[in-house]
Amino acid sequence: MPLEVSAEITRAHHEEWARVVASLARRFGDLDLAEDAAAEAFATAVERWPTEGTPPNPGAWLTTTANRKAIDRIRRESKRDHKHREAAMAHDDSRPEPLGAIDDDRLRLVFTCCHPALAMEARVALTLRMVGGLTVPEIARAFLVQESAMARRLTRAKAKIAVARIPYRVPAAADLPARVSGVLGVLFLVFNEGYLATGPDTDPVRHDLTAEAIRLTRMVRDLLPEDGEVAGLLALMLLTEARRTARVSATGELVPLDEQDRGAWDVALVAEGHRLVRERLDSGVAPGRYQVMAAISAVHTSARDMRDTDWSQVVALYDQLVRLDPSPIIALNRAIALAELDGPDVALATVDRLREVLGGYHAYHATRADLLRRLGRSEESRSAYEQAIELAGNTAETAYLKRRRDQLA
């Protein structure tokens, strides 16, 4: 590509991207359509301008091309249902073309979006949006960032795919290991959104998301049976999903682990999760993040009730997890376990040190409220509950927090 043409495309990208997207969004009322059409227009510019020359008005060219791409997309979508009906009526006995290493459409797209050329956070966020179907607010809450910041991150990721000409293609079997960490990150966040939905207008637990995340993770395990982190994530999902029916009461309130009816847990899922954890421990290979998290869940699901939980083992596992993933959320979860082992005062000191980074996270305030309640500091606990309620989006969790607040003296 001639340097002057490359520079012109880059300049047009920086100057015109937001304007083109805004123009299309106003016209069609669909931000996702606008972003996709703009990305296609820039990709066309990358292909054509080096040979045909830069147009006199690059911005107008991009806007016109993006409009045409958007209209073509709308027309294709309107014809899709009709084509699907026609396809269903046709009977084809011919052997299908091979699909490569992955024969599930959604999983193939997950691997495709997790291209190593994109930053890890961009890979995960973009795949959650395009494949997982999560909204921008849901993804923003998963990353603990502002909605506007996440929208910009997604736009930049789509633009990079277009400008850098990153191909949307089925990865070969040799490409899978390099992309698996991003894929596992996507599946984990999709599962978490189903496990405890963050939006106030959705069901508190979305079985459709947890079931799909488990299905896809099983397929990844079939593809990479020797990958310990794949097995660890599957075990973690199974042990968490086993408790699903006991996690929300008949009145729509979240039921915490210490109050759950353990007889209502799915024993088959628990057994499968425990088997996977034992297999990884027996392998003698140093565990990764998901494997340690699964081991923590295995300790919890092995206890007959909360009092039988081996908290010293849980804290030891969290110590190991912190070394692998020194994130503030892991530190917060470790503090919850530490409260059971060394008391709420020790745990509170740890939690208070996380205020600067987790002050906008509802679980931080909910944890702090519970510790203050156990220490008899009711007014401070009430204030912390109020902050947690204000930040929480899950309806079942909000109902639980309000009840706990109202029980304070």
Side-chain angles (χ1 to χ4, degrees):
M1 179 187 299
L3 290 178
E4 64 273 14
V5 175
S6 176
E8 189 64 52
I9 294 174
T10 302
R11 184 160 57 253
H13 166 242
H14 287 298
E15 295 176 355
E16 299 294 338
W17 172 265
R19 190 185 65 77
V20 172
V21 171
S23 174
L24 267 64
R26 285 194 300 271
R27 178 176 180 184
F28 297 104
D30 187 332
L31 180 59
D32 288 335
L33 173 66
E35 291 178 346
D36 290 343
E40 290 183 31
F42 278 99
T44 302
V46 170
E47 293 175 0
R48 293 174 55 179
W49 290 7
T51 56
E52 298 178 6
T54 304
N57 188 336
W61 188 97
L62 289 166
T63 300
T64 301
T65 303
N67 269 285
R68 290 171 180 166
K69 298 290 186 183
I71 292 170
D72 289 344
R73 174 74 65 88
I74 292 171
R75 287 173 177 167
R76 288 197 302 271
E77 293 294 332
S78 66
K79 293 178 180 179
R80 180 177 296 173
D81 290 342
H82 177 67
K83 289 182 177 180
H84 283 178
R85 286 193 296 269
E86 287 183 343
M89 295 173 64
H91 183 69
D92 185 4
D93 290 325
S94 61
R95 186 185 182 91
E97 291 295 319
L99 296 174
I102 304 172
D103 61 2
D104 180 86
D105 287 340
R106 181 165 291 186
L107 188 59
R108 290 163 65 211
L109 187 53
V110 171
F111 269 100
T112 300
C113 288
C114 289
H115 195 284
L118 295 174
M120 181 60 74
E121 286 192 347
R123 294 184 221 173
V124 174
L126 184 63
T127 315
L128 288 172
R129 183 74 186 98
M130 296 181 67
V131 184
L134 272 64
T135 65
V136 174
E138 288 171 340
I139 300 170
R141 286 191 290 267
F143 280 86
L144 301 181
V145 300
Q146 294 295 318
E147 184 178 333
S148 58
M150 179 53 65
R152 289 193 297 270
R153 186 180 298 176
L154 289 167
T155 298
R156 288 194 299 268
K158 291 180 181 179
K160 181 168 185 178
I161 286 175
V163 174
R165 304 178 72 177
I166 294 174
Y168 279 105
R169 67 166 186 260
V170 180
D175 297 328
L176 301 186
R179 302 192 190 186
V180 71
S181 60
V183 171
L184 295 183
V186 168
L187 297 178
F188 182 48
L189 289 177
V190 170
F191 182 87
N192 280 349
E193 181 61 29
Y195 164 75
L196 197 65
T198 57
D201 301 322
T202 62
D203 291 335
V205 176
R206 295 183 58 185
H207 180 51
D208 59 322
L209 291 182
T210 58
E212 180 66 357
I214 290 173
R215 184 184 76 85
L216 294 175
T217 306
R218 288 189 186 280
M219 296 188 70
V220 178
R221 178 158 166 75
D222 289 340
L223 289 167
L224 301 167
E226 302 303 318
D227 191 305
E229 282 293 80
V230 177
L233 180 58
L234 179 58
L236 176 62
M237 288 180 176
L238 295 175
L239 294 173
T240 305
E241 180 71 2
R243 300 186 281 109
R244 177 173 53 85
T245 57
R247 291 187 59 251
V248 178
S249 70
T251 59
E253 182 179 311
L254 184 72
V255 181
L257 182 62
D258 60 334
E259 298 179 17
Q260 287 177 16
D261 175 10
R262 301 191 175 210
W265 292 355
D266 188 318
V267 293
L269 292 182
V270 170
E272 185 180 359
H274 285 179
R275 177 180 58 76
L276 287 169
V277 171
R278 285 194 300 271
E279 285 179 3
R280 296 313 309 163
L281 291 175
D282 293 342
S283 71
V285 179
R289 172 173 175 257
Y290 294 120
Q291 294 168 76
V292 177
M293 294 172 71
I296 293 170
S297 189
V299 175
H300 284 301
T301 50
S302 296
R304 290 176 298 178
D305 59 43
M306 193 73 167
R307 292 168 298 183
D308 292 333
T309 304
D310 187 345
W311 290 107
S312 61
Q313 186 177 5
V314 172
V315 172
L317 287 167
Y318 268 117
D319 289 339
Q320 187 175 0
L321 184 58
V322 167
R323 290 192 291 272
L324 294 168
D325 181 8
S327 74
I329 293 180
I330 296 298
L332 180 67
N333 289 331
R334 179 186 178 278
I336 295 171
L338 191 65
E340 303 298 329
L341 187 64
D342 294 337
D345 53 339
V346 176
L348 182 61
T350 299
V351 170
D352 282 344
R353 289 195 291 270
L354 301 172
R355 177 184 293 275
E356 185 175 348
V357 288
L358 293 181
Y361 182 40
H362 77 280
Y364 166 81
H365 297 285
T367 300
R368 194 166 179 275
D370 183 65
L371 295 173
L372 289 166
R373 177 189 60 80
R374 293 166 64 177
L375 290 168
R377 296 159 61 176
S378 297
E379 287 306 313
E380 293 174 87
S381 177
R382 183 183 302 278
S383 176
Y385 274 123
E386 293 287 358
Q387 289 178 284
I389 291 166
E390 182 179 351
L391 292 169
N394 186 279
T395 54
E397 193 169 16
T398 300
Y400 167 75
L401 292 170
K402 287 180 177 179
R403 178 172 67 83
R404 298 295 281 177
R405 177 201 60 189
D406 295 342
Q407 288 175 339
L408 290 170

